[in-house]
Amino acid sequence: MVSPTNFLLQTFLWLALAATAFSLSPNFYHNVCPQALPAIKRVVEAAVHKERRMGASLLRLHFHDCFVNGCDGSLLLDSTSSFETEKNARGNLNSVRGFEVVDQIKAEVDRVCGRPVVSCADILAVAARDSVVALGGPAWKVRLGRRDSTTASRTLADNVLPSASMDLPALINNFKNQGLNKRDLVALSGGHTIGLSQCVIFRNRVYNATNIDTAFAKERRATCPRTGGNTNLAPFDPTPARFDTAYFKNLVKERGLLASDQALFSGGSTNKLVETYSRNPDAFWVDFGKSMIRMGNIKPLTGKQGQIRVNCRKVN
């Protein structure tokens, strides 16, 4: 028989877990500041209209934030005497961008709300969704109520962010460590249907890979020499400013830009899903939205944990 003390302890633990699981809600700011989400959308739409690539950049900020100790805005913090910024990690250095737009969003949201009530972590989650929609992609209900971290870890970012050279088993394991499955891996990789990559990231593939379309490799080499031109850009698919299924159609033709892209369609367990998404945009859109919600649920700080930063780049 369970003792009353043990029963109460188990009940408390269950309630604590339940509170964490259910504390994020699409309606979190409805009463506190109903103008918050429209304000985020306005700034994102203006930024994407000014530079289409910004949509992919804002989506990537949310992804790279969530994979490092959860969706807590830690990626936005600049270095201090206590920690080195995650912006200097291998997967981020000279690569992640859009921080000025996040600053603009924060300033506008705090203005319409009258005070800092919306976390930087939530701003990243909403901006990712609004960026996808601005480029013609699906909408989903972003769960809100995250709070901001008071620290960051470049070392952890170095260790956990997926690399462009990973094969399928490594990618599956990387996502599994975040509580995400193979469907999440393929759907979220589909975010590469927008945006560009630097020559230094895809050079090895276009010169040395065997599972690559010859004409495609030649085309990419034209703007990515064997030496130099590291920051030269190339699109992940032919329509980098439109959220569509061209990314998956490319993979089926062995035209994936990164080794980690083509790994999804190289005779492994994700082939069938890539084929499905390449033929069925609706299936991709539905799964992408679900996987974005799942990724957004990675280890959020809620309740009295963390803080609501006044400046997204600094701890209060």
Side-chain angles (χ1 to χ4, degrees), residues 159-301:
N159 291 331
V160 301
L161 287 175
S163 99
S165 61
M166 280 184 172
D167 61 12
L168 185 59
L171 287 166
I172 290 171
N173 190 56
N174 181 276
F175 274 62
K176 184 181 178 183
N177 289 339
Q178 301 289 351
L180 301 172
N181 60 32
K182 282 192 275 192
R183 187 172 292 269
D184 297 317
L185 164 63
V186 179
L188 292 172
S189 295
H192 281 178
T193 187
I194 52 176
L196 311 165
S197 183
Q198 295 183 34
C199 167
V200 68
I201 306 296
F202 62 81
R203 176 184 286 123
N204 185 56
R205 170 158 166 78
V206 300
Y207 283 100
N208 300 314
T210 54
N211 62 339
I212 189 167
D213 176 76
T214 310
F216 175 70
K218 185 178 180 182
E219 185 184 339
R220 290 284 78 91
R221 289 174 195 158
T223 56
C224 183
R226 283 187 182 274
T227 55
N230 281 356
T231 58
N232 291 357
L233 297 170
F236 284 104
D237 71 20
T239 54
R242 190 163 73 238
F243 198 96
D244 54 22
T245 58
Y247 168 79
F248 295 108
K249 290 174 181 174
N250 257 18
L251 297 187
V252 174
K253 297 173 186 172
E254 293 195 322
R255 287 174 158 248
L257 185 61
L258 310 182
S260 56
D261 291 324
Q262 196 59 55
L264 302 178
F265 192 83
S266 55
S269 57
T270 53
N271 266 36
K272 186 173 281 190
L273 199 50
V274 169
E275 287 179 332
T276 298
Y277 291 159
S278 74
R279 294 191 306 263
N280 189 338
D282 290 341
F284 169 47
W285 282 31
V286 168
D287 283 356
F288 185 80
K290 287 178 180 176
S291 292
M292 286 296 292
I293 291 170
R294 282 166 58 85
M295 184 181 77
N297 285 343
I298 298 174
K299 292 170 65 177
L301 299 174

Side-chain angles (χ1 to χ4, degrees), residues 100-178:
E100 296 78 12
V101 176
V102 174
D103 292 340
Q104 290 169 23
I105 295 170
K106 177 65 172 166
E108 178 62 11
V109 169
D110 287 358
R111 185 188 70 78
V112 299
C113 294
R115 59 194 173 94
V117 292
V118 180
S119 69
C120 302
D122 274 350
I123 284 173
L124 289 182
V126 176
R129 189 268 316 274
D130 291 349
S131 293
V132 168
V133 172
L135 293 173
W140 60 92
K141 288 191 175 180
V142 180
R143 294 178 185 173
L144 301 165
R146 300 169 192 79
R147 288 169 66 84
D148 298 322
S149 69
T150 54
T151 188
S153 174
R154 179 206 165 154
T155 304
L156 184 62
D158 277 334
N159 291 331
V160 301
L161 287 175
S163 99
S165 61
M166 280 184 172
D167 61 12
L168 185 59
L171 287 166
I172 290 171
N173 190 56
N174 181 276
F175 274 62
K176 184 181 178 183
N177 289 339
Q178 301 289 351

